[in-house]
Amino acid sequence: SECTIILQGAVPHPSVTDAGGRKRVSHDYYERGKPLTREGLFQLVAEEAYRDGVIEEAERRVLDSIARFLRLDTEKGGAIVETARDKFEAGRLGKERPMKPKALYRQILWYVASDATIDELEASMLAGLRKMFKISNAQHLRILAEVRPRGKAAGGPPRDE
């Protein structure tokens, strides 16, 4: 499957070469206050999957499904997954824990809402995640109300749950 290929170390893009000669993504694809891209969503999912340093079979299936849904090419997906692994190894993904779909959805929604607009692509990506993670519309609206920025002091991303 697409994600299996991605997880086997495809050549990243855009990239830099590390000391070991491996290619890596040179930046994050997500940023607060900017629309969330397909690559940004996939990077957030890959980072959540790597929180415990191991991609379990269920996490692999989620990555595979999301990569297909987002129509990510193998090269770019591989770069994103490798960068998530690097962030884990550098201790930059937060508290180690297995993947938590609802915590991931909350974090993604925080980035989506951070620019005060949910565009068509973001709405489509959120709908796909709600279906995949079995999040009801009522749960979505409650989480959105919790993460939507209020004034200039909107705070940082949601904390680990």
PDB file of all heavy atoms in Angstrom, residues 1 4 8 22 27 55-56 91 93 124 127 144 152:
ATOM      1  N   SER A   1       0.839  -1.195   0.000  1.00  0.00           N
ATOM      2  CA  SER A   1       0.000   0.000   0.000  1.00  0.00           C
ATOM      3  C   SER A   1       0.872   1.242   0.000  1.00  0.00           C
ATOM      4  O   SER A   1       2.056   1.186   0.263  1.00  0.00           O
ATOM      5  CB  SER A   1      -0.932  -0.005   1.212  1.00  0.00           C
ATOM      6  OG  SER A   1      -0.183   0.209   2.377  1.00  0.00           O
ATOM      7  N   THR A   4       2.749   1.875   3.311  1.00  0.00           N
ATOM      8  CA  THR A   4       3.817   0.915   3.554  1.00  0.00           C
ATOM      9  C   THR A   4       5.070   1.355   2.816  1.00  0.00           C
ATOM     10  O   THR A   4       6.157   1.337   3.354  1.00  0.00           O
ATOM     11  CB  THR A   4       3.395  -0.496   3.102  1.00  0.00           C
ATOM     12  OG1 THR A   4       2.221  -0.863   3.826  1.00  0.00           O
ATOM     13  CG2 THR A   4       4.491  -1.495   3.356  1.00  0.00           C
ATOM     14  N   GLN A   8       8.789   2.887   4.445  1.00  0.00           N
ATOM     15  CA  GLN A   8      10.038   2.195   4.191  1.00  0.00           C
ATOM     16  C   GLN A   8      11.151   3.135   3.764  1.00  0.00           C
ATOM     17  O   GLN A   8      12.202   2.702   3.331  1.00  0.00           O
ATOM     18  CB  GLN A   8       9.828   1.107   3.136  1.00  0.00           C
ATOM     19  CG  GLN A   8       8.989  -0.026   3.675  1.00  0.00           C
ATOM     20  CD  GLN A   8       8.674  -1.052   2.609  1.00  0.00           C
ATOM     21  OE1 GLN A   8       8.875  -0.849   1.431  1.00  0.00           O
ATOM     22  NE2 GLN A   8       8.157  -2.183   3.045  1.00  0.00           N
ATOM     23  N   ARG A  22      20.982  10.853   4.867  1.00  0.00           N
ATOM     24  CA  ARG A  22      19.544  10.654   4.679  1.00  0.00           C
ATOM     25  C   ARG A  22      18.871  11.985   4.383  1.00  0.00           C
ATOM     26  O   ARG A  22      19.247  13.012   4.910  1.00  0.00           O
ATOM     27  CB  ARG A  22      18.916  10.042   5.936  1.00  0.00           C
ATOM     28  CG  ARG A  22      19.466   8.674   6.277  1.00  0.00           C
ATOM     29  CD  ARG A  22      18.881   8.153   7.567  1.00  0.00           C
ATOM     30  NE  ARG A  22      19.243   9.073   8.637  1.00  0.00           N
ATOM     31  CZ  ARG A  22      18.768   9.024   9.870  1.00  0.00           C
ATOM     32  NH1 ARG A  22      17.897   8.114  10.204  1.00  0.00           N
ATOM     33  NH2 ARG A  22      19.148   9.888  10.793  1.00  0.00           N
ATOM     34  N   HIS A  27      11.426  21.670   6.889  1.00  0.00           N
ATOM     35  CA  HIS A  27      10.544  22.565   7.641  1.00  0.00           C
ATOM     36  C   HIS A  27       9.259  21.842   8.016  1.00  0.00           C
ATOM     37  O   HIS A  27       8.960  20.780   7.480  1.00  0.00           O
ATOM     38  CB  HIS A  27      10.213  23.791   6.790  1.00  0.00           C
ATOM     39  CG  HIS A  27       9.413  23.448   5.570  1.00  0.00           C
ATOM     40  ND1 HIS A  27       9.983  22.903   4.435  1.00  0.00           N
ATOM     41  CD2 HIS A  27       8.099  23.551   5.316  1.00  0.00           C
ATOM     42  CE1 HIS A  27       9.041  22.687   3.541  1.00  0.00           C
ATOM     43  NE2 HIS A  27       7.890  23.068   4.048  1.00  0.00           N
ATOM     44  N   ILE A  55       5.494   2.601  15.280  1.00  0.00           N
ATOM     45  CA  ILE A  55       4.288   2.663  14.458  1.00  0.00           C
ATOM     46  C   ILE A  55       3.611   1.298  14.565  1.00  0.00           C
ATOM     47  O   ILE A  55       4.075   0.316  13.986  1.00  0.00           O
ATOM     48  CB  ILE A  55       4.612   2.988  12.986  1.00  0.00           C
ATOM     49  CG1 ILE A  55       5.313   4.320  12.849  1.00  0.00           C
ATOM     50  CG2 ILE A  55       3.343   2.949  12.135  1.00  0.00           C
ATOM     51  CD1 ILE A  55       4.452   5.530  13.106  1.00  0.00           C
ATOM     52  N   GLU A  56       2.538   1.258  15.353  1.00  0.00           N
ATOM     53  CA  GLU A  56       1.767   0.019  15.500  1.00  0.00           C
ATOM     54  C   GLU A  56       0.959  -0.231  14.224  1.00  0.00           C
ATOM     55  O   GLU A  56       0.786   0.668  13.406  1.00  0.00           O
ATOM     56  CB  GLU A  56       0.805   0.137  16.696  1.00  0.00           C
ATOM     57  CG  GLU A  56       1.462   0.468  18.009  1.00  0.00           C
ATOM     58  CD  GLU A  56       2.317  -0.658  18.558  1.00  0.00           C
ATOM     59  OE1 GLU A  56       2.151  -1.814  18.135  1.00  0.00           O
ATOM     60  OE2 GLU A  56       3.171  -0.375  19.405  1.00  0.00           O
ATOM     61  N   GLY A  91      13.413  14.015  20.917  1.00  0.00           N
ATOM     62  CA  GLY A  91      12.593  14.352  22.077  1.00  0.00           C
ATOM     63  C   GLY A  91      11.685  15.561  21.858  1.00  0.00           C
ATOM     64  O   GLY A  91      11.307  16.218  22.819  1.00  0.00           O
ATOM     65  N   LEU A  93       8.539  15.557  20.412  1.00  0.00           N
ATOM     66  CA  LEU A  93       7.123  15.264  20.189  1.00  0.00           C
ATOM     67  C   LEU A  93       6.297  15.264  21.468  1.00  0.00           C
ATOM     68  O   LEU A  93       5.126  14.910  21.446  1.00  0.00           O
ATOM     69  CB  LEU A  93       6.952  13.925  19.459  1.00  0.00           C
ATOM     70  CG  LEU A  93       7.493  13.882  18.039  1.00  0.00           C
ATOM     71  CD1 LEU A  93       7.223  12.523  17.417  1.00  0.00           C
ATOM     72  CD2 LEU A  93       6.924  14.997  17.178  1.00  0.00           C
ATOM     73  N   SER A 124     -13.080  19.478   4.289  1.00  0.00           N
ATOM     74  CA  SER A 124     -13.069  18.122   3.732  1.00  0.00           C
ATOM     75  C   SER A 124     -12.152  17.203   4.543  1.00  0.00           C
ATOM     76  O   SER A 124     -12.510  16.055   4.847  1.00  0.00           O
ATOM     77  CB  SER A 124     -12.602  18.176   2.274  1.00  0.00           C
ATOM     78  OG  SER A 124     -12.426  16.895   1.755  1.00  0.00           O
ATOM     79  N   ALA A 127     -13.834  16.419   7.879  1.00  0.00           N
ATOM     80  CA  ALA A 127     -14.931  15.459   7.713  1.00  0.00           C
ATOM     81  C   ALA A 127     -14.383  14.036   7.592  1.00  0.00           C
ATOM     82  O   ALA A 127     -14.923  13.103   8.194  1.00  0.00           O
ATOM     83  CB  ALA A 127     -15.782  15.828   6.490  1.00  0.00           C
ATOM     84  N   LEU A 144     -14.381  22.400  18.699  1.00  0.00           N
ATOM     85  CA  LEU A 144     -14.136  23.645  17.971  1.00  0.00           C
ATOM     86  C   LEU A 144     -14.331  24.856  18.883  1.00  0.00           C
ATOM     87  O   LEU A 144     -13.513  25.779  18.877  1.00  0.00           O
ATOM     88  CB  LEU A 144     -15.052  23.740  16.750  1.00  0.00           C
ATOM     89  CG  LEU A 144     -14.898  24.990  15.885  1.00  0.00           C
ATOM     90  CD1 LEU A 144     -13.482  25.098  15.330  1.00  0.00           C
ATOM     91  CD2 LEU A 144     -15.922  24.964  14.759  1.00  0.00           C
ATOM     92  N   LYS A 152      -6.441  38.156  20.951  1.00  0.00           N
ATOM     93  CA  LYS A 152      -5.026  38.003  20.604  1.00  0.00           C
ATOM     94  C   LYS A 152      -4.304  36.979  21.464  1.00  0.00           C
ATOM     95  O   LYS A 152      -3.296  36.437  21.054  1.00  0.00           O
ATOM     96  CB  LYS A 152      -4.328  39.356  20.711  1.00  0.00           C
ATOM     97  CG  LYS A 152      -4.807  40.323  19.668  1.00  0.00           C
ATOM     98  CD  LYS A 152      -4.019  41.593  19.698  1.00  0.00           C
ATOM     99  CE  LYS A 152      -4.552  42.523  18.605  1.00  0.00           C
ATOM    100  NZ  LYS A 152      -3.774  43.712  18.476  1.00  0.00           N
TER     101      LYS A 152
END
